[in-house]
Amino acid sequence: MEGWDSNTRETVRKIPLLTINAGPRDGEEWGKRLKEELKALIGFVQSNKATDNDWFQISPADKTGTKWKGKCWYVHNLLKYEFDLQFEIPVTYPSTAPELELPELDGKTSKMYRGGKICLTIHFKPLWAKNAPHFGIAHAICLGLGPWMAAEIPYLIDQGVVVHKDNQAK
Amino acid sequence: MDDELLALLQGLNEAQQASSAVRLGERNIIELVNKLQELGLTEKLIYTSDGREYLTEEQLRKEVRQQVVKSGGRVAVVDLPTLLSVDLSHCERQAAQITANEVDRFQMIEGEMISPKYFDGLAGELSELLQEVGKVEVADLAVRFNLSAEVLTNGIQARLGSQLEGRFESGQLYTPNYVARLTSQLRGALRAASAPISLATLATVALGGKNVASNSLVMSILEDLVQTNIATGQLKSGIWIPSIYGQAQSQGLASFFKQNGHITYAHAKKLGMPKPAEGLTARYPGGRALATSFVGEALIQEADAAVQEVLASATWCDLRMTLPPALTSEDVVELLKHCPSAQPPPASKTEPGGVTIVQEVYVVSGGFMQQCRAHAEAVGREVAAQASAAPAPSGKPSAAVTQEAPAAASSGHDSDEEFRKGGKKGGKKGGKKGGSGAPPPREPSPEPLPTKAEAKGGKKGSKGGKASKAPAGGGGGEGGKKGKAGGGAGKAGGAEESTGPSAEDLAAALEAKFEDLAEMVGDDGESLAQALATQVYPATLKAYATARRAVFSAGAEARRRRRDHEASATFLRRRNRRLPAAIHRCRCRQSVAEDGGGLPSASPHPTDAHRLLAAIPRESAAMVAKVNDATQGTSLGAQSITQLIDLVQEGAEEEGLRLKLLDKKVEKAMLQQHGAALQAQLAAAEAPSDALSLAIPLIISQVHRSAVSVPGRAIAQVVKALKGVVPDSVQSFLEDYNSSVVKHLTAQDATQLKTLQSKLPQLKAVAASPTTEI
């Protein structure tokens, strides 16, 4: 975990690790896995709340829990920039990490694949592969989305690519 | 979807819906705090160097105080930033404020905050150290505790006697036992000293030979001991003088003075009296302070008694024999001033009844002086009698007596001009000799030829004699200011003459009469007899002069009778003018001194002499004729000359004239003058005969050192006589020239004259240097 800052590392350590190695096609095992995923997310959210560092909100979009939707936000210069967040659990999950999407930023930055999928760092995939199946959705948000937003959003704001919603009206 | 899953979803939802705990970040807090400070809502805050804490100045001061106490009462300000994580500038500011406000609790010393408790602990540690090693140097402590010596010294001195037992002396700490032991040793040494000793030496001796002069503790203890009078004595310039030594010195001085009746100042100084004259006078009021000694009353009385004895017995005594030998001559002189009997009478110290101090140490009574004076006068009379009785060559010794008397000086008015000139020169010469200050040892001259010059010399000599307290007319020459000008009557006129007995003779006579005088020799080598002779010498001379004057008076009466026979003063002048012409020929041979430098005139022709003789009165004619015969008929031999001079002098005496005695030096001067005159005349002469008549006397004056007058007919004889004296070539040249001149004069040959004139320069050259070959 050399590529992350100390806060991130500290936060990751607080997220409970998952034990069940099952994907969406594994039936009941996936249900167990989904429960662990929810527990991990609850722990991650509580941890963020406790540290006054709440920066996303997410919930399953279907009953199987393979699609997820929600919001994430970033405070910059006392302005809160909020973006839609969505992703699907891949079939090869948990060996493959989910691809997190910010559809509003699609085409606005080079650090993003088509469809608004964020481009994770070169450290993420090895780390994920190394820790699979113990890493889950919470880990992907913490280690993937969080650093990406911290790096890209201020830049995009400064570039004027991203404009606060209050200023958009102007 | 089972219940568990729903519950979890519900839980997630709840968790996300739950509000976040309000938690400000560090950055926000920093910004908030800065904002508050900018707004002045909080007091000034200091943040730690790690940036995690804010603290107020009061808190920092509190922490600084705690840190000082925690560090054992001493902490360096530069260490505070590390210890308190606060910037150095804040630490320094608060430390300075603390030390300024709490002086009694904290001190800022050389960048360190030190509390008094630190020095308390230091004193305790030092106390233990002192007990172990006995003495400790502050320098070592300063190095050990990393403090300056001054700070350490102040801290130690403030706690000496309370928290630190010991003695602090010049940078060293000593235990009380050490100081007590040292004090005991030095006290013992001080009390044991019996002679003056420097404190450094005393300390060195007392402490077993260690050189402790530089140890101020030792010196301090010594000074304390001296001041507390533990040992009796005095400390002067670092020298300890025990009382016992002073007492011994005082006793020794008193004992010496009591035993000897006197003490020299040098001895008194040795015995510890720095100003002996004042000290002894104050101590012994009856004594007298002399030049180099102090004498007691007894010694003065003893000397006075000796003087009285001398007076009573009309003798003399040497006070040095009576007084202690330590007294110098100066002391004796001063001592005599304090003797009542030795005080000279107001009028004169040589009055009968008084005493005379001779050579500063001999006390001679007036009676003895009278005896000496009487004997001296007797000697003077005796010598005068001998001088008068002695057969003088002139046969008229009384004439000399006549002129040496001062009263007779004016009697020379009848002398001729020649005598007056010679007299002046003689007087000058006599004056010079008289001015040499030599005593006048005068033997009666066997050949006195008194002149006026002699009389003048005598007169001037009398002035010199007055200056030196010699009797008038006593022959002068005893020195004095006037003696230089004319004190030498003895040599006046260039002739020996009698002035009476010399002082040496008189001293010898006194020694012969008073035998004990001969043994007494003064400090200057002069015997008592000589000193007495000097005292009574004037009386001797006076007696001598009186006696000689008496003899002269007898002869003068006879001369005066003869003069009465003279016809008139006019005739006397004529006679006096012609008589020298008659006797001139012999005098020219003998001396030119009387002539005043001129060439002697030509001798009178025999016929002229006879004519002159006819004009001379009968009384004198016989003598003059006798002289004339002698000069005419006698060849100029030495014996004849002497006889001729005697004859002339005898004649002159009978005529009442005085002939001056020859003076070699005057003669020499006159000879030179004569030769120079001849030379000048020769150079100007053009006639061969004149040149020859000048050249021959010139040659004679050069080779024989005599001034002669050579008549023309005597030239041939004189030239012959020059053979062997001058080179043969010169002699033959002169003979040839003379014969040529004779021929020329007889024949009046003109050719001969030319020849002679051609040889004239050679003749002049020969005359200039006759001893040179031609």
Side-chain angles (χ1 to χ4, degrees):
Chain A
M1 296 187 60
E2 297 297 325
W4 290 268
D5 63 296
S6 59
N7 288 335
T8 305
R9 288 200 299 266
E10 192 68 22
T11 307
V12 166
R13 285 192 191 97
K14 291 177 182 174
I15 301 172
L17 291 175
L18 285 75
T19 56
I20 295 172
N21 186 9
R25 294 185 181 179
D26 291 337
E28 288 185 2
E29 287 298 316
W30 167 244
K32 294 178 183 176
R33 171 79 186 192
L34 188 60
K35 289 177 185 175
E36 286 185 345
E37 292 284 355
L38 288 173
K39 288 178 183 175
L41 278 170
I42 290 168
F44 183 39
V45 169
Q46 286 177 343
S47 172
N48 284 345
K49 295 282 184 180
T51 57
D52 194 15
N53 191 24
D54 189 22
W55 59 279
F56 71 95
Q57 205 171 17
I58 194 169
S59 60
D62 59 353
K63 293 181 180 178
T64 57
T66 56
K67 287 187 179 178
W68 291 74
K69 282 186 180 178
K71 287 186 180 294
C72 65
W73 59 88
Y74 188 83
V75 177
H76 181 72
N77 289 337
L78 302 177
L79 294 176
K80 188 177 180 179
Y81 296 88
E82 200 172 52
F83 306 102
D84 292 334
L85 173 63
Q86 62 183 15
F87 60 89
E88 288 183 10
I89 300 298
V91 177
T92 55
Y93 187 82
S95 299
T96 305
E99 291 179 331
L100 305 174
E101 298 173 22
L102 298 175
E104 291 175 60
L105 301 180
D106 186 16
K108 292 183 177 179
T109 174
S110 59
K111 300 291 181 64
M112 186 172 278
Y113 299 106
R114 193 174 56 192
K117 295 174 183 175
I118 63 170
C119 195
L120 299 176
T121 66
I122 56 172
H123 304 290
F124 182 78
K125 283 189 176 177
L127 182 67
W128 185 271
K130 187 178 178 183
N131 289 286
H134 303 297
F135 275 9
I137 296 168
H139 294 93
I141 291 172
C142 180
L143 295 174
L145 183 60
W148 189 92
M149 286 179 71
E152 292 300 320
I153 297 303
Y155 176 73
L156 292 174
I157 292 168
D158 291 341
Q159 293 294 318
V161 177
V162 175
V163 181
H164 192 263
K165 57 184 178 182
D166 295 341
N167 294 333
Q168 283 180 348
K170 295 177 182 179
Chain B
M1 190 174 289
D2 54 2
D3 296 337
E4 189 180 359
L5 186 60
L6 290 173
L8 286 173
L9 286 173
Q10 185 63 33
L12 175 61
N13 191 28
E14 286 176 359
Q16 289 180 346
Q17 292 301 322
S19 61
S20 299
V22 177
R23 183 184 176 83
L24 293 174
E26 288 180 1
R27 192 181 63 189
N28 296 335
I29 290 173
I30 290 169
E31 287 178 356
L32 278 173
V33 169
N34 289 342
K35 194 70 178 175
L36 288 172
Q37 282 190 319
E38 284 176 9
L39 295 173
L41 298 175
T42 61
E43 62 178 307
K44 188 178 180 182
L45 293 177
I46 301 166
Y47 52 87
T48 57
S49 55
D50 57 6
R52 289 192 168 275
E53 291 179 76
Y54 282 101
L55 68 166
T56 62
E57 291 182 343
E58 179 59 35
Q59 177 63 24
L60 182 57
R61 284 197 289 273
K62 184 180 176 183
E63 288 185 7
V64 168
R65 285 191 205 97
Q66 288 173 349
Q67 192 61 45
V68 171
V69 174
K70 197 189 293 181
S71 303
R74 177 185 179 188
V75 66
V77 175
V78 291
D79 292 340
L80 286 176
T82 310
L83 296 169
L84 303 178
S85 297
V86 179
D87 190 67
L88 178 62
S89 60
H90 300 300
C91 294
E92 285 179 339
R93 195 179 304 122
Q94 299 310 318
Q97 196 169 349
I98 290 170
T99 51
N101 295 333
E102 303 169 39
V103 178
D104 54 338
R105 292 184 60 196
F106 297 99
Q107 287 180 301
M108 180 66 78
I109 298 170
E110 297 170 354
E112 288 184 303
M113 286 186 72
I114 301 177
S115 69
K117 287 184 179 177
Y118 174 76
F119 286 108
D120 294 343
L122 190 70
E125 192 177 344
L126 277 180
S127 186
E128 292 176 3
L129 190 65
L130 261 183
Q131 296 306 321
E132 290 176 9
V133 296
K135 66 173 183 177
V136 180
E137 287 194 19
V138 171
D140 296 338
L141 292 177
V143 174
R144 180 171 174 173
F145 293 108
N146 195 21
L147 278 173
S148 72
E150 185 182 355
V151 173
L152 204 54
T153 304
N154 292 336
I156 289 171
Q157 285 180 336
R159 286 157 183 80
L160 270 179
S162 57
Q163 297 170 355
L164 184 59
E165 286 300 324
R167 176 162 175 163
F168 185 75
E169 193 70 44
S170 66
Q172 284 199 325
L173 265 174
Y174 304 92
T175 58
N177 289 338
Y178 180 85
V179 175
R181 194 178 71 228
L182 202 61
T183 306
S184 301
Q185 285 178 306
L186 295 174
R187 187 193 305 119
L190 277 177
R191 287 179 173 168
S194 60
I197 184 171
S198 70
L199 287 185
T201 311
L202 185 137
T204 305
V205 172
L207 301 180
K210 296 175 186 173
N211 185 9
V212 292
S214 59
N215 192 329
S216 62
L217 174 66
V218 173
M219 294 299 136
S220 171
I221 291 173
L222 279 173
E223 289 172 2
D224 289 345
L225 289 173
V226 170
Q227 287 174 357
T228 52
N229 293 327
I230 283 178
T232 55
Q234 288 181 319
L235 185 66
K236 289 181 179 176
S237 306
I239 305 293
W240 170 248
I241 304 172
S243 297
I244 189 171
Y245 177 75
Q247 291 167 5
Q249 272 195 326
S250 179
Q251 288 173 1
L253 191 143
S255 172
F256 184 90
F257 189 73
K258 188 177 179 182
Q259 288 177 1
N260 298 287
H262 78 283
I263 185 167
T264 61
Y265 295 152
H267 194 192
K269 282 181 181 175
K270 280 183 186 174
L271 293 177
M273 187 169 278
K275 293 182 177 177
E278 292 84 349
L280 288 168
T281 306
R283 198 163 170 178
Y284 303 103
R288 298 288 180 183
L290 305 181
T292 63
S293 302
F294 184 85
V295 295
E297 200 169 1
L299 202 62
I300 297 172
Q301 290 174 355
E302 194 176 334
D304 192 49
V307 174
Q308 286 178 0
E309 188 179 347
V310 166
L311 282 172
S313 59
T315 54
W316 60 275
C317 77
D318 183 358
L319 272 181
R320 289 179 299 185
M321 307 301 285
T322 309
L323 298 173
L327 299 185
T328 63
S329 299
E330 294 178 345
D331 292 336
V332 173
V333 172
E334 287 197 26
L335 179 61
L336 281 173
K337 292 176 182 172
H338 299 299
C339 290
S341 305
Q343 299 306 314
S348 167
K349 63 177 183 178
T350 55
E351 276 188 1
V355 294
T356 304
I357 311 302
V358 179
Q359 289 185 321
E360 300 182 344
V361 292
Y362 298 109
V363 177
V364 183
S365 68
F368 188 75
M369 284 300 291
Q370 283 293 96
Q371 292 179 28
C372 291
R373 196 171 290 112
H375 185 64
E377 289 173 356
V379 170
R381 285 192 292 272
E382 185 182 348
V383 171
Q386 288 175 357
S388 302
S394 64
K396 295 289 181 183
S398 60
V401 178
T402 303
Q403 298 306 322
E404 84 182 4
S410 60
S411 66
H413 65 275
D414 56 349
S415 300
D416 58 19
E417 189 64 25
E418 292 173 6
F419 288 168
R420 193 155 54 241
K421 288 178 180 174
K424 283 180 182 175
K425 289 166 185 173
K428 281 184 183 176
K429 187 170 185 179
K432 283 182 182 175
K433 290 210 173 184
S436 65
R442 303 279 187 264
E443 290 294 336
S445 172
E447 198 176 41
L449 285 176
T451 64
K452 185 173 181 180
E454 196 175 334
K456 283 199 170 202
K459 200 171 183 179
K460 290 182 180 176
S462 70
K463 289 180 182 175
K466 281 177 185 173
S468 59
K469 294 186 180 179
E478 289 192 19
K481 293 177 180 177
K482 290 285 182 181
K484 241 180 183 179
K491 292 285 183 179
E496 291 288 335
E497 60 123 355
S498 171
T499 57
S502 65
E504 283 79 4
D505 297 338
L506 188 56
L510 288 175
E511 285 179 3
K513 182 170 178 62
F514 309 105
E515 293 178 351
D516 50 351
L517 290 180
E519 301 169 357
M520 297 296 125
V521 178
D523 295 337
D524 54 354
E526 189 183 20
S527 69
L528 176 59
Q530 288 173 333
L532 286 174
T534 306
Q535 297 253 343
V536 300
Y537 186 64
T540 309
L541 292 178
K542 194 173 179 181
Y544 173 79
T546 307
R548 294 297 298 265
R549 198 180 297 121
V551 174
F552 168 73
S553 300
E557 285 298 323
R559 281 198 304 281
R560 193 176 298 116
R561 276 197 304 274
R562 279 195 298 276
R563 283 183 190 167
D564 291 342
H565 295 297
E566 297 295 336
S568 64
T570 307
F571 182 74
L572 184 60
R573 281 199 300 275
R574 287 174 58 198
R575 181 202 62 189
N576 287 345
R577 195 165 54 244
R578 290 167 184 172
L579 186 59
I583 61 176
H584 187 68
R585 297 177 67 178
C586 63
R587 292 192 64 230
C588 286
R589 172 64 183 91
Q590 187 67 15
S591 169
V592 296
E594 310 295 332
D595 198 64
L599 276 175
S601 58
S603 300
H605 195 267
T607 53
D608 296 338
H610 287 297
R611 186 167 48 81
L612 287 170
L613 282 173
I616 293 173
R618 288 179 183 174
E619 292 82 357
S620 304
M623 188 276 296
V624 175
K626 196 174 174 182
V627 172
N628 191 43
D629 292 343
T631 55
Q632 293 292 337
T634 310
S635 64
L636 296 175
Q639 192 175 357
S640 302
I641 288 296
T642 307
Q643 290 174 357
L644 182 62
I645 289 170
D646 292 343
L647 196 61
V648 170
Q649 283 184 345
E650 189 177 348
E653 291 287 338
E654 289 179 0
E655 293 301 318
L657 298 176
R658 289 169 297 170
L659 296 182
K660 193 176 178 183
L661 202 58
L662 294 180
D663 187 330
K664 293 288 183 188
K665 291 188 177 178
V666 174
E667 183 180 358
K668 189 177 178 184
M670 298 302 296
L671 180 61
Q672 289 179 349
Q673 199 174 358
H674 170 65
L678 285 176
Q679 195 90 37
Q681 291 177 11
L682 179 61
E686 293 182 357
S689 57
D690 293 346
L692 185 63
S693 65
L694 291 168
I696 296 303
L698 182 59
I699 291 170
I700 293 296
S701 70
Q702 290 184 53
V703 299
H704 287 300
R705 298 291 171 196
S706 297
V708 296
S709 175
V710 183
R713 57 188 168 187
I715 284 177
Q717 296 298 324
V718 171
V719 170
K720 280 182 184 175
L722 285 174
K723 188 167 188 179
V725 181
V726 298
D728 291 342
S729 59
V730 174
Q731 202 258 343
S732 59
F733 170 76
L734 290 174
E735 281 182 344
D736 292 344
Y737 199 89
N738 184 36
S739 59
S740 300
V741 168
V742 171
K743 287 178 183 174
H744 163 65
L745 290 176
T746 53
Q748 290 297 324
D749 188 0
T751 56
Q752 198 77 25
L753 179 61
K754 288 183 180 177
T755 308
L756 287 172
Q757 283 179 340
S758 63
K759 288 182 179 178
L760 194 57
Q762 194 175 5
L763 176 66
K764 292 179 180 178
V766 167
S769 58
T771 54
T772 308
E773 288 270 4
I774 56 173

